[in-house]
């Protein structure tokens, strides 16, 4: 089949291949979904190096992350050159047109993972992304309570405004557009400051403990999602779960009213047609991290709160504490 999207023709092979057996959604349904929400997802991806989460045979088959631009990608889809923590680099797909999203769907892309940078400056994020991740024993309602407190924290430290969305699972994401003048390390430091302030306000409900054994039944604010090469599913991305949920942008007044299961491949096009992209104004703002970085300095100076562990695949970072889970550290022999 051929689909007309944004003035381009995108060829779709095997349109009847079933991608979501539980719901009967096909590759054609996936492509038509992305065509329906194309202005919204392009806003989230525009000029951003983007990793593709691909399921060529649908959610029941093998899958992989495609970080390097696929071979045979049309010349009208540009790339951006990015560097990984290992020092290696790659050219990643960098969507600038609506048709690029549908083209990726043709190759089984369900979820798009954009970097928090633009192609013009890949070393300075222009978004602070906060991931509220429910741990065992907690659920979406717990994430909602944390999100509303997070909104207050952001406002207090620099008058920041966040844009919330469902993760497509049980969690919530809040994105804050920022000026692209801080490094990944500095933005991560700001996220840690947010997390520590949240812990002080909601000690029994929120944690930034990296080791799972220390988190308990609390919402984990995943500060490492701001580290280089760590990405979060974009708004409007389809998530690889049997009922085909999508990551749904929300207004703040909908947080706690709407539920993640309200938004899927079948229902989101109608919502988009009715209300449009409720995050469309994000690109009109760019906030400063100065107040959060001042908070981080006070945490370090007044409370001795330094850096936290990086993900395991990262090289050892300056100032990082020992990267070993506490239960193992207690049993390691001392020299």
């Amino acid at each position: 089949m051929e689909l007309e999207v944004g003035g381009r023709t995108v060829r779709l092979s095997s349109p009847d291949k079933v991608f979501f057996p539980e719901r009967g959604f096909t590759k054609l349904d996936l492509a038509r979904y992305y065509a329906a929400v194309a202005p919204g997802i392009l806003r989230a991806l525009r000029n951003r190096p983007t990793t593709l989460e691909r399921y060529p045979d649908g959610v029941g088959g093998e899958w992989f992350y495609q970080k390097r631009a696929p071979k045979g990608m049309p010349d009208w889809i540009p790339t951006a050159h990015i560097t990984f923590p290992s020092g290696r680099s790659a050219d990643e797909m960098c969507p600038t047109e609506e048709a690029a999203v549908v083209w990726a769907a043709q190759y089984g892309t369900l979820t798009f993972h954009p970097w928090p940078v633009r192609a013009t400056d890949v070393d300075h994020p222009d978004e602070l992304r906060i991931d509220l991740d429910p741990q065992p024993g907690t659920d979406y309602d717990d994430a909602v309570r944390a999100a509303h407190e997070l909104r207050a924290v952001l406002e207090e430290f620099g008058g920041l405004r966040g844009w919330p969305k469902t993760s497509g699972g049980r969690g919530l994401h809040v994105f804050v557009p920022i000026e692209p003048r801080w490094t990944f390390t500095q933005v991560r430091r700001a996220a840690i400051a947010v997390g520590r302030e949240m812990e002080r306000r909601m000690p029994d409900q929120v944690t930034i403990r990296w080791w799972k054994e220390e988190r308990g039944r609390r919402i984990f604010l995943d500060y490492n999602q701001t580290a280089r090469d760590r990405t979060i599913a974009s708004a409007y991305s389809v998530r690889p779960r049997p009922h085909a949920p999508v990551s749904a942008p929300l207004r703040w007044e909908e947080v706690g009213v709407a539920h993640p299961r309200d938004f899927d491949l079948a229902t989101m096009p109608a919502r988009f047609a009715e209300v449009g992209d409720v995050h469309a104004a994000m690109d009109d703002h760019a906030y400063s991290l100065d107040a959060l970085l001042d908070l981080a300095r006070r945490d370090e100076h007044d409370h001795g709160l330094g850096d936290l562990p990086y993900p395991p695949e990262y090289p050892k970072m300056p100032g990082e504490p020992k990267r070993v889970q506490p239960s193992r550290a207690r049993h390691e022999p001392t020299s």
Side-chain angles (χ1 to χ4, degrees):
M1 290 188 63
E2 291 183 342
L3 296 179
E4 296 295 324
V5 184
R8 293 196 183 273
T9 301
V10 180
R11 182 176 177 274
L12 199 69
S13 64
S14 304
D16 296 330
K17 179 185 281 189
V18 176
F19 270 27
F20 293 89
E22 182 177 291
R23 305 287 301 278
F25 295 140
T26 64
K27 181 193 283 190
L28 179 58
D29 293 323
L30 177 69
R32 283 177 169 165
Y33 164 79
Y34 276 126
V37 301
I41 192 167
L42 182 62
R43 188 268 312 155
L45 302 178
R46 192 190 307 274
N47 294 322
R48 298 187 184 280
T50 300
T51 297
L52 309 179
E53 187 176 346
R54 293 177 54 187
Y55 291 75
D57 295 314
V59 292
E62 295 184 2
W63 65 278
F64 58 95
Y65 288 111
Q66 176 112 35
K67 293 193 174 185
R68 288 171 170 77
K71 293 181 179 179
M73 192 171 71
D75 57 11
W76 51 267
I77 301 178
T79 61
H81 193 74
I82 46 87
T83 302
F84 303 117
S86 65
R88 294 186 301 163
S89 62
D91 294 318
E92 283 204 341
M93 177 185 181
C94 193
T96 58
E97 299 184 35
E98 295 176 0
V101 180
V102 178
W103 178 87
Q106 146 66 14
Y107 291 93
T109 301
L110 298 187
T111 306
F112 295 82
H113 296 267
W115 281 47
V117 301
R118 306 284 182 171
T120 51
D121 186 354
V122 296
D123 293 317
H124 295 89
D126 69 345
E127 287 181 345
L128 169 65
R129 298 173 174 180
I130 299 176
D131 180 8
L132 298 172
D133 184 11
Q135 300 303 290
T138 64
D139 56 22
Y140 180 72
D141 291 336
D142 297 300
V144 165
R145 285 186 282 273
H148 284 298
E149 188 61 41
L150 171 63
R151 185 185 186 188
V153 169
L154 293 173
E155 173 62 32
E156 183 174 335
F157 291 93
L160 309 182
R161 176 185 172 187
W163 275 259
K165 67 183 185 71
T166 66
S167 67
R170 299 187 304 137
L172 278 164
H173 302 149
V174 179
F175 285 11
V176 181
I178 60 174
E179 300 167 8
R181 57 188 180 94
W182 293 278
T183 65
F184 278 94
T185 302
Q186 290 171 311
V187 174
R188 178 178 174 276
R189 190 170 173 232
I192 290 172
V194 170
R196 284 176 169 149
E197 182 63 22
M198 289 287 291
E199 279 189 327
R200 284 189 282 266
R201 298 184 183 203
M202 306 179 74
D204 297 326
Q205 297 159 288
V206 175
T207 182
I208 58 168
R209 299 280 183 171
W210 176 247
W211 305 107
K212 291 182 179 180
E213 64 187 33
E214 294 187 312
R215 294 177 191 170
R217 297 175 60 177
R218 292 179 287 185
I219 297 297
F220 174 50
L221 193 149
D222 190 354
Y223 62 89
N224 268 332
Q225 290 293 62
T226 53
R228 180 184 287 272
D229 193 33
R230 282 299 183 100
T231 56
I232 294 178
S234 77
Y236 302 102
S237 274
V238 179
R239 306 313 307 276
R241 295 179 175 87
H243 62 289
V246 304
S247 181
L250 300 175
R251 305 181 183 96
W252 273 109
E253 56 267 27
E254 294 177 302
V255 176
V257 178
H259 191 274
R261 291 195 73 97
D262 297 337
F263 309 105
D264 59 31
L265 191 148
T267 62
M268 180 56 82
R271 171 180 166 88
F272 192 86
E274 179 182 356
V275 302
D277 180 14
V278 297
H279 286 190
M282 275 187 68
D283 287 348
D284 297 334
H285 300 268
Y287 295 100
S288 170
L289 290 180
D290 286 341
L292 285 178
L293 291 174
D294 284 342
L295 176 62
R297 282 188 285 270
R298 292 197 299 274
D299 281 343
E300 292 161 10
H301 182 270
D302 298 343
H303 306 290
L305 299 174
D307 204 355
L308 294 174
Y310 274 78
E313 70 272 18
Y314 276 64
K316 183 69 175 178
M317 302 296 286
E320 181 187 3
K322 193 173 183 179
R323 198 182 297 174
V324 59
Q325 64 192 67
S327 60
R328 287 184 58 192
R330 286 194 293 268
H331 294 93
E332 286 187 354
T334 56
S335 55

